Amino acid sequence: MIHGRNFNFNMSWEDDFSEREFHRLVGKLLEGEISDQEFERLQTQLSKSETLRNSYMQLAELHVSLSDTFADVVRPAAREVAEAHSMPPQRRPLALVAVLCALLLIACWFYFPAANSTPIAWTGFQASAGRELRSGDRLVATAKEGSIIFRNGVRVSLSKGADLELLAPKLVRLHTGQAHVDVGEQGKGFTVLTEAVDVIDLGTVFGVSANSHGETDVLVFDGVVDIASNKLPKSAREMLVSGQAQRYRKSGGDERISTVWSSTSPPEWSTVSRGGNSLIASVADNVSSDSDAKFYMVVPGGFREDAKVYADRNHEWNGLGETKIPSELIGADYIRTFNDDKNRKDIQITMTLSRPADVYVLVDERYLVPEWLANDFVDTGWQVGIDLGDKYQQRDILVPPLGTADIRWLGKGAGRSVDVPVNVWKRKDIADLSIHLGANGEKSDQFDGATELAGSMYGIVVVPKNRLDD
């Protein structure tokens, strides 16, 4: 499980974060006992240090491998291993004895495997009705058996034909195929191994795809993952956040994935065009993959009330007031862009269509009309809105009215918690399948008093040509 790595803790420790605290927090994380505050502290330190991340991976793989097979005997030994480097010298021999005992038990297990080991997961979403799965089981997903729920609440949805090996409650190996992983609150630290990289959860919903050529695609829908591999160059990205995706190769090297196709609500997703199912064949921009690994999410048929606006935010599209989204746009293909690009003046987006279609650009009305929009598009006179909330309210509270400076909750349906009016522009009758879009215009007087970061990136909606005439 350790892939031949050597434990290496020869590093300088910050005054407020000691080696002892590192092992204490890792132990609590692996046991599922870590608090949110402690997890944030550990995550901050892991993000600063490659050495710490490597050490964490080694401890995590050792812990989950041993603790599942020998839960009652080896767990204390694994804990001793994790704490050995912070023990007083006189106690270290005890840790060595624990390690030797663990190794002896492992050897016995390989020669005399237990027939009735404790289930760590079940196929399907109901443990009581699903097929039991144990450490060492290997599952090739069928149409009827493509989802797994672990004891710790982690949900893994597999595409048909995906080949997954269960190593421990927080450790799996994806041999080939595609997985969508929803870690939840109790599964922090869940790790997916592939031939190219190890994908380590830091509190996340993410996707992993592995093929027979030794390539692994990793994309993050929400949260953060860490990427570990001895073959990645030092310049390679080692952490991915919401809205970012990379392709890693077994031989080394990585590249940005700029377009991801998704169902209206994952787990269904793909990094390969779905052909006739999508009017949008690809989306690219002039942003270097070395500086930003963001991906544009194409959602065929997904534009409607409460559809997500961005790949990097939870904001939603809605009709203004009681006026719903124009029927011409309902059920259209659309692109989830990046709100972080709203004030970027050098952005150039190129969208390629699979066949002729009507293209709409939805622009925050507070910006002046940029030249590229005025030249190739016309104002339809329609308006929609953006709900700037981050999550749905947890109890029955009133959504603040438009313009109110308050905590923003997402509202359901037209006119609920809509913050930003957006103008809808339609492309002129141009047959070119390659569409070039630029940056937002200059900020108008409507931004007076707003923060420097205020504003919204535009949206892109694509409708089949002459759909209303069919």
Side-chain angles (χ1 to χ4, degrees):
M1 301 291 182
I2 307 301
H3 304 300
R5 295 176 186 148
N6 295 318
F7 286 94
N8 179 12
F9 300 99
N10 296 323
M11 61 174 291
S12 59
W13 295 88
E14 297 182 15
D15 292 339
D16 63 341
F17 190 76
S18 65
E19 182 177 3
R20 182 184 295 274
E21 183 177 9
F22 169 70
H23 289 288
R24 181 181 68 83
L25 292 180
V26 169
K28 295 187 73 173
L29 172 61
L30 296 175
E31 293 291 343
E33 300 171 352
I34 196 167
S35 68
D36 289 342
Q37 184 176 2
E38 289 172 326
F39 179 74
E40 290 177 6
R41 178 162 174 75
L42 177 60
Q43 181 177 335
T44 298
Q45 298 300 325
L46 290 175
S47 68
K48 294 179 181 179
S49 170
E50 179 182 1
T51 302
L52 279 186
R53 289 195 296 272
N54 290 337
S55 299
Y56 164 74
M57 264 304 298
Q58 295 165 23
L59 291 171
E61 291 183 15
L62 178 62
H63 176 93
V64 296
S65 300
L66 297 180
S67 63
D68 181 64
T69 307
F70 314 104
D72 297 329
V73 179
V74 181
R75 181 167 293 165
R79 191 176 293 116
E80 291 289 334
V81 172
E83 295 175 353
H85 292 274
S86 58
M87 287 180 182
Q90 61 270 26
R91 288 193 58 199
R92 290 181 183 175
L94 296 176
L96 294 176
V97 171
V99 173
L100 291 174
C101 290
L103 292 174
L104 178 61
L105 287 171
I106 291 171
C108 292
W109 180 72
F110 275 111
Y111 284 103
F112 309 103
N116 297 308
S117 59
T118 303
I120 64 170
W122 295 261
T123 58
F125 289 103
Q126 296 296 327
S128 59
R131 181 164 69 90
E132 293 182 346
L133 298 171
R134 294 172 169 82
S135 295
D137 283 355
R138 191 161 171 176
L139 177 69
V140 178
T142 66
K144 294 182 179 178
E145 196 169 71
S147 57
I148 301 170
I149 183 168
F150 286 78
R151 287 186 314 208
N152 50 28
V154 174
R155 296 177 184 238
V156 179
S157 300
L158 301 173
S159 62
K160 186 176 180 179
D163 183 350
L164 187 76
E165 183 180 1
L166 281 68
L167 304 177
K170 289 188 178 182
L171 187 67
V172 298
R173 182 181 298 278
L174 182 64
H175 292 274
T176 58
Q178 180 177 296
H180 175 274
V181 184
D182 189 344
V183 173
E185 287 299 316
Q186 302 302 316
K188 293 176 180 177
F190 190 85
T191 299
V192 179
L193 309 179
T194 72
E195 196 173 9
V197 293
D198 302 343
V199 185
I200 309 156
D201 159 70
L202 297 177
T204 319
V205 179
F206 63 95
V208 182
S209 178
N211 63 31
S212 58
H213 303 296
E215 295 176 333
T216 296
D217 294 346
V218 183
L219 57 149
V220 182
F221 295 104
D222 185 31
V224 184
V225 299
D226 198 12
I227 306 297
S229 172
N230 291 332
K231 295 183 179 179
L232 288 176
K234 292 183 178 179
S235 60
R237 179 176 299 278
E238 300 214 2
M239 189 171 287
L240 297 178
V241 301
S242 299
Q244 292 186 329
Q246 289 279 93
R247 175 168 294 134
Y248 300 94
R249 296 182 178 84
K250 176 185 176 182
S251 57
D254 64 302
E255 63 178 314
R256 171 193 174 192
I257 299 171
S258 65
T259 313
V260 173
W261 289 262
S262 173
S263 61
T264 53
S265 58
E268 294 183 21
W269 59 273
S270 175
T271 57
V272 179
S273 175
R274 298 185 177 187
N277 292 333
S278 175
L279 291 169
I280 302 164
S282 66
V283 189
D285 59 28
N286 60 336
V287 177
S288 169
S289 60
D290 293 334
S291 62
D292 200 335
K294 67 184 181 182
F295 66 87
Y296 294 95
M297 183 179 289
V298 176
V299 188
F303 194 78
R304 54 177 55 89
E305 296 286 349
D306 302 313
K308 297 296 183 186
V309 181
Y310 302 113
D312 61 341
R313 300 288 196 282
N314 286 326
H315 306 340
E316 295 180 345
W317 291 114
N318 282 116
L320 289 173
E322 296 181 359
T323 304
K324 297 181 179 180
I325 288 175
S327 59
E328 292 86 346
L329 303 182
I330 296 295
D333 294 11
Y334 83 104
I335 298 172
R336 289 174 60 181
T337 57
F338 254 67
N339 200 35
D340 281 352
D341 289 336
K342 58 194 174 187
N343 295 326
R344 186 168 187 162
K345 296 305 179 185
D346 60 343
I347 187 74
Q348 295 289 325
I349 299 175
T350 299
M351 174 179 62
T352 303
L353 302 178
S354 61
R355 55 189 181 274
D358 291 323
V359 179
Y360 296 83
V361 176
L362 285 55
V363 184
D364 186 334
E365 69 169 10
R366 294 173 294 176
Y367 290 101
L368 299 176
V369 179
E371 184 177 354
W372 63 267
L373 188 65
N375 287 343
D376 294 339
F377 291 76
V378 294
D379 190 349
T380 64
W382 303 339
Q383 278 197 322
V384 296
I386 297 177
D387 182 347
L388 298 182
D390 183 59
K391 58 185 177 180
Y392 286 109
Q393 57 196 42
Q394 301 301 307
R395 58 188 186 279
D396 187 18
I397 62 174
L398 295 176
V399 178
L402 181 62
T404 301
D406 203 343
I407 296 175
R408 304 308 304 176
W409 297 91
L410 289 168
K412 283 186 174 290
R416 294 284 293 170
S417 185
V418 179
D419 300 276
V420 179
V422 173
N423 296 326
V424 179
W425 290 68
K426 181 179 179 180
R427 189 176 67 144
K428 296 175 182 177
D429 192 13
I430 302 173
D432 191 359
L433 295 181
S434 184
I435 316 297
H436 301 282
L437 309 174
N440 273 328
E442 297 296 326
K443 291 184 175 181
S444 71
D445 293 340
Q446 294 185 57
F447 278 98
D448 285 351
T451 66
E452 196 170 315
L453 296 177
S456 302
M457 183 58 178
Y458 55 77
I460 306 168
V461 179
V462 180
V463 176
K465 199 74 173 173
N466 302 322
R467 180 175 71 168
L468 298 180
D469 298 331
D470 294 340

